[in-house]
Amino acid sequence: MPALPARVCPTAIIDASGLLLWMALPARCGRVSAQHLLHAMGWAPGHRLDIQLCHGMLVITSARDDRYQVGSRGELPLPASARQMCRVEPGQPVLLAAFITHDLLVVHPVGTVARLLTDLHHQLAGGDSDR
């Protein structure tokens, strides 16, 4: 059997080739529809997933044996405890970043995206670089 990729935080990924982005709205049940990304990743319904928290984001990779799996309609499960810790709310958008060559998908809560964009725009406007 091929070896599974090591668990990696997104900060360890330098090569951004093969990056796909997708916006989604989590349902009340905690699932996110992401058929296009999952198809590009080669993750068919039933594909086993490992879901970890890393710096306030959900990091999803393939797994041999895990209780999480891609849903029958191409949806990702976002566990309730992880959603609470990351402040992912039903109906609030999340940014999904799929690193195809690393078999890695990162779920960015809207608050994280807003903070990153605020910092970037603050720098562009000539603000302090140590903010």
Side-chain angles (χ1 to χ4, degrees):
M1 287 189 131
L4 290 174
R7 291 182 184 167
V8 181
C9 285
T11 54
I13 295 180
I14 298 167
D15 179 14
S17 65
L19 171 66
L20 294 176
L21 299 173
W22 186 260
M23 294 294 295
L25 296 174
R28 289 197 182 276
C29 65
R31 292 191 166 268
V32 173
S33 180
Q35 292 173 350
H36 299 315
L37 283 185
L38 298 176
H39 179 73
M41 298 283 293
W43 294 358
H47 184 88
R48 298 279 180 193
L49 304 169
D50 179 59
I51 302 174
Q52 300 290 321
L53 245 53
C54 183
H55 304 293
M57 297 169 280
L58 293 170
V59 178
I60 304 173
T61 57
S62 292
R64 288 186 192 162
D65 300 318
D66 212 324
R67 65 181 185 175
Y68 305 113
Q69 61 184 316
V70 174
S72 61
R73 292 185 214 135
E75 65 273 356
L76 283 172
L78 303 180
S81 59
R83 288 193 318 268
Q84 291 170 353
M85 292 170 72
C86 292
R87 296 186 178 113
V88 171
E89 299 291 331
Q92 289 191 358
V94 292
L95 175 66
L96 305 174
F99 297 89
I100 305 299
T101 57
H102 296 280
D103 194 43
L104 175 73
L105 191 142
V106 181
V107 179
H108 299 272
V110 70
T112 301
V113 174
R115 183 179 42 80
L116 292 171
L117 289 174
T118 299
D119 291 348
L120 173 65
H121 292 129
H122 181 76
Q123 289 177 4
L124 290 173
D128 297 337
S129 60
D130 60 333
R131 180 184 152 119

